[in-house]
Amino acid sequence: MRGITILNLLTTILMFSTATTSKSILRFSDEPSGENYVTLHPDFSLARNEFSVCTWLRRKLNTNLVGMSWFSYTAPKSRAGGILLNMASFHVMVASGVAYRLKFNTRTMHGEWYHLCYTWKSGYAEFYINGVLVPLTGLHPIGQVAVGGSIVLGQGLGSFDEQTDVMEKFVGDIYQLNVFKKTLTLQDVTEMYYNGRCVELCRALAYEVVLSWTDVLKKGEVKGAVTQEDGECDTVWDVISGAAERIVGHVKMRRLIK
């Protein structure tokens, strides 16, 4: 696995196990509904030319639907620009109103944690699952993302909202969602994945954050059946016990993509 050994992984986890992030996850009700979501109003002025959105996500709905939208960002005026992330594609609408849709061909299992990272700068986008780069199809967005918009977690709203089926609203858990003002590298994403859900971002990456998980929990406006629950990060053992699971998750994803 490109130099990442079990020994190195466990050493890294033990080094950082005392610096755990906020222990709460956001849980979206097991009953899909357009009434369940969280809104935020971030300042993306530093992220309009490039950004990365990374999170740990566990969907609960046992369905073959792959279009469950869990993140959207929409500027104030219709078709002024935005971002939509779901389980099958990566949408970016630049400030000029031109929309781009990038698709990826991979599936996730319900009930399992996955680490997702979407990165973009004008003319180039990438998507990672469990530290593995996933091929994208479609034209890569060129331009800038509009500022002054709002984020909705749990569904797609605004210019991108093409969903009509309530079953395509997100059902599950979101944890450690961060938005960065830079395009993360493969090394950045891989290290984040192998450090695990329960570990703080390294100082270099924390400096690049424009919206942190703490911001989401403290500033998010919760609507409907969305709750903060225990994130299973209370002990050092919680941190260590996920090591083998992450190795398996990385290998499984590489095999699926091949």
Side-chain angles (χ1 to χ4, degrees):
M1 276 182 282
R2 298 189 177 184
I4 298 178
T5 66
I6 295 178
L7 179 60
N8 288 339
L9 175 59
L10 293 176
T11 301
T12 300
I13 293 173
L14 286 170
M15 287 173 59
F16 291 97
S17 62
T18 57
T20 55
T21 187
S22 177
K23 297 177 181 179
S24 296
I25 63 176
L26 280 181
R27 175 158 295 163
F28 293 77
S29 171
D30 290 346
E31 296 295 328
S33 170
E35 303 298 319
N36 304 333
Y37 58 92
V38 177
T39 58
L40 297 120
H41 309 283
D43 178 7
F44 276 3
S45 57
L46 296 177
R48 64 183 312 182
N49 293 309
E50 59 180 304
F51 66 81
S52 299
V53 180
C54 298
T55 192
W56 288 87
L57 184 146
R58 174 170 62 184
R59 68 180 181 86
K60 293 292 188 68
L61 195 62
N62 185 10
T63 174
N64 290 326
L65 289 173
V66 294
M68 296 171 64
S69 296
W70 60 271
F71 177 105
S72 65
Y73 168 78
T74 308
K77 296 181 180 179
S78 178
R79 303 195 67 80
I83 305 161
L84 174 68
L85 308 178
N86 62 33
M87 306 304 292
S89 56
F90 177 9
H91 303 239
V92 175
M93 183 184 293
V94 294
S96 63
V98 179
Y100 299 81
R101 183 182 184 187
L102 299 163
K103 296 182 179 180
F104 42 87
N105 184 23
T106 188
R107 290 183 178 271
T108 56
M109 302 293 291
H110 74 282
E112 293 187 10
W113 281 108
Y114 290 88
H115 184 250
L116 311 180
C117 267
Y118 304 75
T119 74
W120 171 83
K121 62 181 176 181
S122 184
Y124 193 67
E126 290 183 327
F127 172 57
Y128 303 84
I129 300 183
N130 290 354
V132 178
L133 181 62
V134 178
L136 296 172
T137 59
L139 294 175
H140 290 226
I142 299 174
Q144 292 182 320
V145 173
V147 298
S150 299
I151 286 176
V152 175
L153 302 180
Q155 58 185 281
L157 291 176
S159 304
F160 290 110
D161 193 16
E162 301 171 353
Q163 300 182 107
T164 57
D165 190 341
V166 69
M167 296 295 286
E168 294 187 357
K169 307 302 182 183
F170 181 71
V171 171
D173 302 330
I174 296 177
Y175 188 51
Q176 262 285 60
L177 186 153
N178 293 281
V179 181
F180 303 85
K181 62 184 178 183
K182 64 170 284 187
T183 304
L184 299 185
T185 66
L186 174 61
Q187 181 178 348
D188 292 332
V189 175
T190 302
E191 289 181 358
M192 198 184 310
Y193 171 67
Y194 274 102
N195 283 345
R197 289 188 300 112
C198 300
V199 177
E200 292 281 5
L201 293 172
C202 69
R203 188 171 300 177
L205 285 184
Y207 175 77
E208 303 291 343
V209 171
V210 292
L211 179 71
S212 71
W213 183 236
T214 299
D215 293 332
V216 173
L217 295 179
K218 291 185 176 181
K219 301 178 182 179
E221 302 168 13
V222 176
K223 304 294 183 180
V226 182
T227 57
Q228 291 190 24
E229 304 290 344
D230 175 63
E232 304 164 1
C233 291
D234 292 326
T235 68
V236 173
W237 174 246
D238 289 327
V239 181
I240 297 175
S241 61
E245 181 180 339
R246 289 194 293 279
I247 293 173
V248 172
H250 183 88
V251 173
K252 286 170 62 177
M253 193 55 59
R254 289 181 65 88
R255 289 175 177 173
L256 283 173
I257 292 171
K258 288 180 179 180

